[in-house]
């Protein structure tokens, strides 16, 4: 069973990861290089999955890049 302390730590960890994601989102999207959809046109399910895969891997690279830049300073 989780104690109150463990629950608070888990909540803080989730909030920290969410903030990190939002902070890295502009860099992530830039690295992904995905075009925006045309107005009124929608992607197929397969296209959405492919784009999500690209964003997921771009986020990983954004985290790596950020950590490398911070450590070298």
């Amino acid at each position: 069973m989780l104690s109150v302390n463990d629950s608070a730590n888990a909540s803080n960890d989730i909030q920290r990861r969410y903030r990190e994601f939002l902070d890295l989102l502009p860099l992530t999207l830039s690295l992904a290089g995905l075009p925006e959809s045309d107005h009124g046109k929608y992607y197929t399910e397969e296209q959405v999955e492919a784009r999500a895969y690209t964003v997921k891997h771009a986020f990983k690279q954004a985290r790596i890049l950020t950590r490398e830049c911070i450590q070298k300073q």
Side-chain angles (χ1 to χ4, degrees):
M1 181 177 270
L2 286 178
S3 69
V4 173
N5 232 4
D6 291 337
S7 180
N9 287 339
S11 178
N12 287 340
D13 188 49
I14 290 170
Q15 288 178 353
R16 182 190 57 78
R17 288 175 182 254
Y18 183 71
R19 281 191 308 269
E20 179 186 25
F21 174 76
L22 290 179
D23 289 343
L24 291 176
L25 193 54
L27 176 59
T28 298
L29 295 177
S30 179
L31 290 173
L34 297 171
E36 292 186 19
S37 64
D38 294 331
H39 184 68
K41 293 187 179 180
Y42 302 99
Y43 294 111
T44 65
E45 184 176 344
E46 292 81 18
Q47 289 172 317
V48 170
E49 288 177 13
R51 290 169 66 89
Y53 179 85
T54 300
V55 170
K56 179 180 177 179
H57 288 279
F59 177 70
K60 288 179 183 180
Q61 291 303 311
R63 286 181 72 200
I64 291 168
L65 176 63
T66 302
R67 287 180 181 167
E68 286 177 0
C69 290
I70 290 171
Q71 289 175 355
K72 292 187 182 206
Q73 304 244 347

